[in-house]
Amino acid sequence: WVLLRQVNAAERCPSSRQLAQAYGLYGGGLASTCPVFWKRALRNVDRAKDVHQQLGDPRGERHALSRALVLSAAGRFSDGEAAAAQAMRFLQRSGDLWELYWAAFHRSLCLYRMGDFPAAIEQARSTHQAAAALGDRQAAATTLEIWAKASGGQLPPEPITAALREAGVDIQTASALLQAQAVHLRAQGRPEEAIGYAEEAVTLPRR
């Protein structure tokens, strides 16, 4: 509702970067929380890009990241991967590393969902290492989850263990790491421990 209120307030003003930002955030947030409304979310993301184009602002290309998020939530993984790759190219040029790692996460997620496990592993592994070096804990954790699942748990244990110690209170970060640890332990022939981590990942958001 906060994002929708932001859109309603911004629409009272002439086309502006603030209006484009409101459209983009609302589209991405809507798809993340209510994937069933992905078509509405996609319309808002496209509106954001249209406003930037009307203003002659090349930064509208960054909304390819929101488009990737929406398409991923809709199960359109091939289109989502292409949108994420487009966003990555722009964000590399603009130097926005935080957004770049989120675009890379969505690309690795789409590759994983498409069944292209080698490409998903490579994207997730390289993004995890870069995000960890920058100190972006959430991006580092979520890419560990993709790396673990795409590889069937065949990854070094040290990154997961280190990240779990620093997970903090963010539910998405902690859940991603718990799932990564569960998949890794299962691959190591430790099913009972794996079940414990998997159950904790399931119950964590309900607390």
Side-chain angles (χ1 to χ4, degrees), residues 145-157 160 180-188:
E145 178 192 353
I146 303 300
W147 184 3
K149 291 180 177 178
S151 67
Q154 301 299 321
L155 74 166
I160 303 175
Q181 182 73 319
V183 175
H184 173 68
L185 290 171
R186 183 188 64 183
Q188 298 300 309

Side-chain angles (χ1 to χ4, degrees), residues 46-203:
D46 288 341
R47 285 173 184 166
K49 185 175 181 179
D50 289 344
V51 171
H52 275 294
Q53 289 178 337
Q54 291 168 12
L55 297 172
D57 186 352
R59 285 179 291 184
E61 292 185 52
R62 71 181 297 278
H63 290 294
L65 172 54
S66 295
R67 188 176 181 84
L69 189 159
V70 173
L71 292 168
S72 174
R76 293 173 54 183
F77 301 118
S78 180
D79 292 336
E81 187 276 329
Q86 178 187 349
M88 288 176 65
R89 289 190 293 271
F90 170 74
L91 293 166
Q92 284 172 333
R93 295 196 304 271
S94 65
D96 190 337
L97 297 181
W98 298 91
E99 292 289 303
L100 172 61
Y101 297 151
W102 275 113
F105 161 74
H106 284 292
R107 180 169 184 265
S108 66
L109 175 62
C110 287
L111 288 167
Y112 168 66
R113 295 298 186 188
M114 291 163 60
D116 190 348
F117 297 145
I121 293 168
E122 176 55 29
Q123 182 68 79
R125 180 191 59 78
S126 61
T127 304
H128 163 74
Q129 293 173 345
L134 183 67
D136 186 342
R137 293 180 181 177
Q138 192 174 50
T142 51
T143 46
L144 272 176
E145 178 192 353
I146 303 300
W147 184 3
K149 291 180 177 178
S151 67
Q154 301 299 321
L155 74 166
E158 292 82 9
I160 303 175
T161 303
L164 279 169
R165 287 198 298 265
E166 302 177 356
V169 297
D170 182 74
I171 292 176
Q172 182 180 5
T173 300
S175 177
L177 291 171
L178 290 167
Q179 291 178 68
Q181 182 73 319
V183 175
H184 173 68
L185 290 171
R186 183 188 64 183
Q188 298 300 309
R190 298 159 62 184
E192 292 185 359
E193 293 176 73
I195 290 172
Y197 280 97
E199 288 179 341
E200 188 174 355
V202 170
T203 60

